[in-house]
Amino acid sequence: MALLEIRWHGRGGQGAKTAALLIGDAAVETGKYIQAFPEYGPERMGAPVFAFNRIADEPILQHCGIKTPQIVVVLDPTLMETVDVTEGLPEDGIVLVNSQKSAEEIKKQLGLTSQKVYVIDASKISEEILNRDLPNTPMLGALIKASKLLEFEPMLASVQNRLKKKFPNRPEVVQGNIKAIKRAYEEVGV
Amino acid sequence: MIVARTGNEAMAEAMRQINPDVVAAYPITPATEIVQLFAKFVNDGLVDTEFVPVESEHSACSACCGASASGARVMTSTASQGLALMHEILFIAAGLRLPITICLVNRSLSSPINIHCDHSDTMASRDAGWLQIYTENAQEAYDTTIQLVKMAEQALLPGIVSTDAFIISHGMERVELIDDKEVPKFLGERKVNYSLLDVDNPITLGPLDLQDYFFEHKRSEIDAMDNVLPIIEKVQKEFGDKFGRYYPIVDEYKLDDAEVAILVMGSTGGTAKVAVERMREKGKKVGLIRARVYRPFPKDAMTKALSKVKVIGVMDRSDTMSTLGGHLYNDARSILYKSDNQPLMKNYIYGLGGRDISIEEIEAIYEQLFDIQKSGEVDKDVVYFGVRGE
């Protein structure tokens, strides 16, 4: 696998950084080299934030920012009104958006022609399963389906392990997230 | 074991495996996590360390001095203003020959206030008599933390191992951890010739030392610095033989047939290696020198590396505020004064306050170095790269 770069767009508190760390962790467990890092600015709850991943089969040497990601993940669709979420995206890039709209509508809204657009209503999935709008984990399921950058089952096992460590006394949170990831994996639409 | 860890997590893991006798620390962004994670290891009973949560970095370094003088293996962690507040005590630790290890995250110094990476904090302490090793990534930070404890104890000198703020400290990477049991075996027990707590053999530490003996004591401290490079090399080799990862004093990359080269330190070393690859794909013979060990300055190894090329671009993530450019540049220039082979040299001050440096920008610097090679002249010795209005 050649070097793959991902940019996550979210709002402070939505878990863009956590999602980048979870996918990085899972990729390491399947033998990849990775980087996962947020952009630390003056972020506050609700302000636009970025997080990034690099994934490759070979050691990754560069430590500069990511300006031309092949994949962009948008956790909050309202960001598309204020942030240029497709900046630097190549012609064959992938955009994955948490939205109730169709892929065709998003494609039109972003003025894209050749790039692939995927949509998933991750907020709805999260609200139905976890009773909270935390779209980051379901987006992981959708990302794996859309990009095929990792195998689904090992990714799921890795996320489960990390969440278990993070929430040792709340098995319902771990199980809920896993359920949400699975559902998003199944429901993501082109 | 292969895991995903941030630079801070990797350094904290190294500290857990080292299991120091005493850690006295005060948290500061972006090194907070190192202290926080280590405090959790203490709370969870994973280490035997006496953890001293002090009220300032000045106190942290002071408590480390006391503990180290008693013969304990002592570590702490800090960044930026924290290291600046330790400044007074840094000299005392070195003068008393106390082998304390600091896991440091390189962050700019105020003012203006900023939490991101540059090397001004450790550069401001470069004359304190501490070993300084700058690392390129989380793996090197982890490995070097373990190595430095041994180097410091063998040389009876304190040492700082550093990562670049956020770029490494908060960036998650693939890291290969050593087995928990192997780290204490590699380090062994600290050998102590004199202990403050050995009441049967009482000693005096830190008394007034005037015109009659101060100079001799300082001279012996300088001697220790003079003799530490072979110790550093030996520990690096032992580490490599045991764990498979070898580190050099001076990291040379594609230098042997290079015409021009960049000299840099920290995480930009990795970004520059990618720039080297891209330039070479275009048929341009460029190389890279990364200063890993910065204090003491490895004069012989660095002179040898610098002499291999015709033009050097020195990239400094700090400025001396002397109008003479950056720290690395001044050291590199100084050692070439008596050299038969003097490459042309230009200083690029970059990345202050965490400003990003891209692969393309480094490629542009290489192109400028080729222009210098062609003209045979350095138009301007010191430039500020990537700043508005330049």
Side-chain angles (χ1 to χ4, degrees), chain B residues 98-382:
Chain B
L98 303 172
I100 300 159
T101 296
I102 298 183
C103 290
L104 185 128
V105 182
N106 279 120
R107 169 190 148 183
S108 62
L109 282 174
S110 290
S111 177
I113 191 165
N114 176 301
I115 56 170
H116 290 276
C117 174
D118 64 40
H119 298 156
S120 51
D121 52 0
T122 40
M123 286 300 167
S125 296
R126 76 191 162 143
D127 300 338
W130 286 56
L131 308 174
Q132 288 195 358
I133 305 184
Y134 293 73
T135 63
E136 181 182 314
N137 51 44
Q139 181 74 61
E140 189 183 352
Y142 167 80
D143 290 341
T144 306
T145 300
I146 295 164
Q147 293 171 2
L148 185 59
V149 169
K150 194 163 185 171
M151 295 166 184
E153 288 177 5
Q154 289 191 4
L156 284 181
L157 286 170
I160 293 173
V161 48
S162 71
T163 64
D164 282 352
F166 292 101
I167 302 164
I168 302 301
S169 69
H170 287 62
M172 194 167 92
E173 298 183 340
R174 177 191 185 276
V175 178
E176 202 172 328
L177 299 181
I178 297 164
D179 191 79
D180 280 358
K181 289 192 214 92
E182 292 299 321
V183 175
K185 254 197 254 171
F186 175 75
L187 293 176
E189 290 276 316
R190 180 183 162 195
K191 290 189 184 66
V192 186
N193 293 330
Y194 309 98
S195 165
L196 205 54
L197 298 184
D198 182 0
V199 288
D200 296 328
N201 299 288
I203 55 164
T204 302
L205 269 175
L208 190 64
D209 192 7
L210 297 177
Q211 298 94 320
D212 51 353
Y213 268 107
F214 179 92
F215 202 174
E216 281 71 24
H217 288 133
K218 266 312 180 200
R219 183 69 187 85
S220 73
E221 188 189 333
I222 296 160
D223 255 349
M225 266 295 176
D226 246 339
N227 294 324
V228 73
L229 280 173
I231 294 173
I232 293 174
E233 262 174 335
K234 193 177 100 217
V235 173
Q236 286 179 165
K237 183 167 186 307
E238 276 171 23
F239 185 92
D241 289 346
K242 197 142 193 203
F243 306 118
R245 290 185 295 278
Y246 290 89
Y247 291 94
I249 299 267
V250 174
D251 183 8
E252 295 184 12
Y253 190 76
K254 309 262 165 111
L255 195 64
D256 286 339
D257 67 337
E259 291 168 14
V260 306
I262 280 174
L263 168 62
V264 72
M265 56 211 307
S267 65
T268 309
T271 311
K273 284 172 187 171
V274 179
V276 168
E277 291 301 329
R278 291 194 187 171
M279 294 296 284
R280 283 191 171 257
E281 275 168 28
K282 291 184 249 175
K284 309 217 168 172
K285 287 187 176 169
V286 305
L288 179 81
I289 308 166
R290 183 175 63 91
R292 175 174 134 84
V293 176
Y294 179 69
R295 280 293 177 267
F297 200 69
K299 189 175 65 186
D300 294 340
M302 190 61 84
T303 307
K304 206 172 130 207
L306 294 170
S307 302
K308 286 182 183 174
V309 295
K310 298 188 180 71
V311 187
I312 296 276
V314 184
M315 294 180 67
D316 267 293
R317 211 162 193 160
S318 59
D319 190 278
T320 56
M321 297 290 169
S322 64
T323 74
L324 297 176
H327 297 85
L328 192 52
Y329 170 69
N330 277 278
D331 287 326
R333 233 171 124 89
S334 166
I335 60 168
L336 290 173
Y337 186 74
K338 285 183 81 177
S339 172
D340 296 332
N341 191 352
Q342 295 189 334
L344 296 168
M345 195 177 274
K346 181 164 176 154
N347 190 197
Y348 295 84
I349 311 274
Y350 79 101
L352 300 189
R355 180 152 300 171
D356 192 30
I357 180 100
S358 68
I359 299 164
E360 293 76 17
E361 285 171 320
I362 298 173
E363 284 183 272
I365 291 177
Y366 276 120
E367 293 292 355
Q368 289 183 19
L369 300 180
F370 278 116
D371 291 343
I372 292 171
Q373 188 191 12
K374 213 186 281 172
S375 69
E377 263 176 59
V378 180
D379 48 339
K380 210 174 171 192
D381 290 333
V382 183

Side-chain angles (χ1 to χ4, degrees), chain A residues 6 33 43 56 68 74 85 99-100 104 114-115 119 127-128 132-133 150 154 157 170 189:
Chain A
I6 305 172
Y33 288 83
E43 76 258 27
T68 54
V74 183
V85 298
S99 171
Q100 301 166 348
E104 208 44 53
S114 60
Q115 291 90 343
V119 288
E127 272 165 11
E128 285 181 8
R132 284 180 71 188
D133 181 5
L150 296 175
R170 298 174 67 191

Side-chain angles (χ1 to χ4, degrees), chain A residues 123-184:
Chain A
S123 293
K124 185 177 147 202
I125 292 175
S126 177
E127 272 165 11
E128 285 181 8
I129 296 176
L130 296 159
N131 297 319
R132 284 180 71 188
D133 181 5
L134 283 172
N136 61 344
T137 46
M139 289 300 267
L140 288 175
L143 173 65
I144 295 304
K145 182 78 165 278
S147 67
K148 298 177 183 61
L149 70 96
L150 296 175
E151 283 181 53
F152 183 60
E153 291 298 333
M155 185 280 286
L156 206 60
S158 166
V159 171
Q160 187 159 2
N161 276 337
R162 200 167 174 102
L163 289 175
K164 267 185 191 164
K165 276 181 206 151
K166 204 172 169 181
F167 303 105
N169 304 316
R170 298 174 67 191
E172 75 285 358
V173 173
V174 179
Q175 280 323 306
N177 275 289
I178 293 302
K179 205 172 152 191
I181 295 172
K182 279 186 182 165
R183 196 171 136 194

